[in-house]
Amino acid sequence: MRRFVAGSLARGLISLGGGGGGYMSTAEMMARPASMQGVVMNKQQSQQYYYWSRMMSSVAEKSKEVVNGGGVEAIKEEEKKEKKNGDKEKGMVDSYWGLSRRSIKRPDGTDWPWNCFMPWDSYEADLSIDLTKHHVPKKFLDKVAYRTVKLLRIPTDLFFKRRYGCRAMMLETVAAVPGMVGGMLLHLRSLRKFQQSGGWIKALLEEAENERMHLMTMVELVQPKWYERLLVLTVQGVFFNGFFGVYLLSPKLAHRIVGYLEEEAIHSYTEYLKDIDSGAIENVPAPAIAIDYWKLPKDATLKDVIIVIRADEAHHRDVNHFAADIHFQGKELREAPAPLGSCIVLSDEFERMEYVEVFPELEVVIDHMSALVSISNINLRG
């Protein structure tokens, strides 16, 4: 009798406030004293308790917050929304893979703003490079390359005249193509023949990337019109396919053409500087991307930007004439170490002597090089 009364009393206590067949919410169960949570229950309540106990570890924290009026839960939800909005403002993509760039700072402690290049990609251009050097065309293919470039200059002069900002923008869309084509074809050749490239793949892709950064800078200064964008699409399509075919047929001709194109680019940027000095073109402040890429002073101007771009073009001129000379000597590019690094001048006579010692027949070629790696980076691989 006493057991019956005790059992009835326990069941009644458990079902208090539950209603609806003894259902009890998680919050109510958590609010009950521990002594009441362990009382023996009937079959239906046992099933409910099993479900509750299985989920207890994941919802207990939330249940307590709900019991306290939902204040903490609301705060947490607000924090999540703020973080998500902050990530969107920073351009971060919400992805399952969770890939994100680590935080990078400038020397002054501010956040690095660029995704297109990193601080270790920036450099100081070598302004001591000789801008007056010219490869005199002597052989038949040299003359073909020289005449081709001179013919290409005629429509450019007629279309742009002295609008050197738009002209530079157009030139850079073309100038960034040869390095990519050459690097891509050398890359495929290296895979097919199981051979090293001597660093030339990286050198040519570095050239293409540098030319592309020229374009990114010029776009900050000159906003292309719709017909100029259409012209870029047309010229790029024609030039890419044409240069691709030329490089397959004759790499020596392709590199010589690029060498002469860079000579014309130096001339164009020199005329650009003349118009800035004369006041025909306003010497506006340099874009932020140019200041970070070339490590220019904070008060740098358009003139400073054009000067470093022109120095880069002189470097590309020497690299491509050198590559053409290697081919004209009957050798492959991989037999000569590539001039890696932007605008590093071959000024040490020891470097010159070491290079000529390995390739004595290329001594005359050295006169065409004003940009090679420093002696610590030279890697002579046959």
Side-chain angles (χ1 to χ4, degrees):
M1 183 66 179
R2 289 180 181 177
R3 292 181 180 178
F4 176 78
V5 172
S8 299
L9 180 60
R11 286 192 293 271
L13 287 173
I14 293 173
S15 60
L16 279 175
Y23 172 78
M24 187 161 32
S25 67
T26 304
E28 291 172 333
M29 179 63 78
M30 288 298 300
R32 295 281 180 97
S35 60
M36 293 182 64
Q37 294 177 11
V39 179
V40 179
M41 291 167 278
N42 59 29
K43 184 177 180 181
Q44 181 180 2
Q45 291 170 337
S46 297
Q47 292 173 350
Q48 293 169 353
Y49 180 77
Y50 172 75
Y51 175 78
W52 165 79
S53 62
R54 189 177 62 174
M55 299 298 294
M56 181 173 59
S57 60
S58 62
V59 302
E61 181 84 13
K62 183 176 179 181
S63 300
K64 290 179 182 179
E65 294 165 6
V66 173
V67 171
N68 291 332
V72 179
E73 184 181 33
I75 292 173
K76 287 189 175 182
E77 289 297 326
E78 187 66 25
E79 289 177 352
K80 288 180 181 179
K81 288 181 180 179
E82 289 178 359
K83 184 179 183 301
K84 191 172 183 180
N85 292 334
D87 291 345
K88 285 183 179 180
E89 290 177 0
K90 294 179 181 178
M92 296 176 65
V93 178
D94 185 17
S95 171
Y96 164 79
W97 302 106
L99 299 176
S100 60
R101 190 186 77 181
R102 62 186 177 87
S103 178
I104 301 175
K105 302 289 184 181
R106 284 193 177 113
D108 60 4
T110 58
D111 290 333
W112 183 258
W114 313 110
N115 290 328
C116 54
F117 71 99
M118 295 293 109
W120 49 86
D121 297 322
S122 59
Y123 64 96
E124 295 181 9
D126 173 43
L127 303 182
S128 65
I129 194 167
D130 188 357
L131 301 172
T132 62
K133 291 172 67 176
H134 167 64
H135 182 276
V136 179
K138 296 178 180 179
K139 298 183 179 181
F140 174 73
L141 287 181
D142 287 348
K143 294 177 181 179
V144 170
Y146 184 74
R147 295 300 178 189
T148 300
V149 172
K150 286 299 182 182
L151 286 173
L152 291 174
R153 185 182 177 89
I154 294 175
T156 306
D157 289 340
L158 292 175
F159 185 81
F160 291 106
K161 297 181 180 178
R162 296 196 70 83
R163 293 186 299 128
Y164 286 107
C166 296
R167 185 192 193 104
M169 180 195 63
M170 173 61 69
L171 283 175
E172 298 302 346
T173 63
V174 172
V177 170
M180 181 60 65
V181 171
M184 175 184 67
L185 291 176
L186 287 179
H187 174 74
L188 296 176
R189 180 186 179 90
S190 176
L191 297 179
R192 289 195 310 271
K193 296 197 171 185
F194 307 99
Q195 294 174 341
Q196 296 287 348
S197 70
W200 279 95
I201 295 173
K202 182 169 181 161
L204 294 178
L205 293 180
E206 183 183 75
E207 175 187 315
E209 172 66 11
N210 182 247
E211 297 284 11
R212 190 184 65 83
M213 289 305 299
H214 292 177
L215 177 62
M216 296 299 101
T217 300
M218 296 311 301
V219 169
E220 293 289 325
L221 297 166
V222 181
Q223 294 299 323
K225 299 179 176 60
W226 68 268
Y227 57 86
E228 290 171 338
R229 290 178 179 272
L230 182 61
L231 182 61
V232 167
L233 291 174
T234 304
V235 171
Q236 187 183 82
V238 173
F239 184 76
F240 176 87
N241 289 284
F243 188 81
F244 183 86
V246 171
Y247 204 100
L248 285 175
L249 295 173
S250 177
K252 66 179 76 172
L253 175 60
H255 282 292
R256 190 68 81 203
I257 288 174
V258 178
Y260 286 129
L261 281 174
E262 299 295 356
E263 289 184 17
E264 293 299 328
I266 294 170
H267 173 75
S268 295
Y269 281 116
T270 300
E271 293 297 314
Y272 199 164
L273 288 171
K274 288 180 181 179
D275 280 3
I276 293 175
D277 290 336
S278 67
I281 297 176
E282 184 182 359
N283 191 22
V284 297
I289 190 172
I291 292 174
D292 284 335
Y293 184 67
W294 282 286
K295 296 183 178 179
L296 297 174
K298 297 297 182 183
D299 58 348
T301 61
L302 172 61
K303 181 177 180 179
D304 299 317
V305 174
I306 300 305
I307 288 174
V308 295
I309 291 179
R310 184 178 61 173
D312 286 351
E313 303 296 2
H315 172 70
H316 302 322
R317 170 203 63 193
D318 295 336
V319 170
N320 281 278
H321 278 315
F322 173 52
D325 287 341
I326 293 173
H327 283 295
F328 272 106
Q329 293 290 331
K331 293 185 174 292
E332 295 183 6
L333 291 182
R334 66 186 181 88
E335 298 181 70
L340 294 172
S342 297
C343 303
I344 302 175
V345 179
L346 180 66
S347 57
D348 194 328
E349 183 63 20
F350 179 69
E351 295 179 33
R352 184 180 186 279
M353 293 302 296
E354 178 174 314
Y355 204 85
V356 173
E357 183 180 352
V358 179
F359 301 102
E361 68 275 19
L362 293 182
E363 184 169 7
V364 294
V365 175
I366 302 298
D367 294 332
H368 298 303
M369 300 191 320
S370 64
L372 271 181
V373 290
S374 59
I375 188 64
S376 61
N377 288 333
I378 287 185
N379 180 16
L380 299 177
R381 291 183 288 192

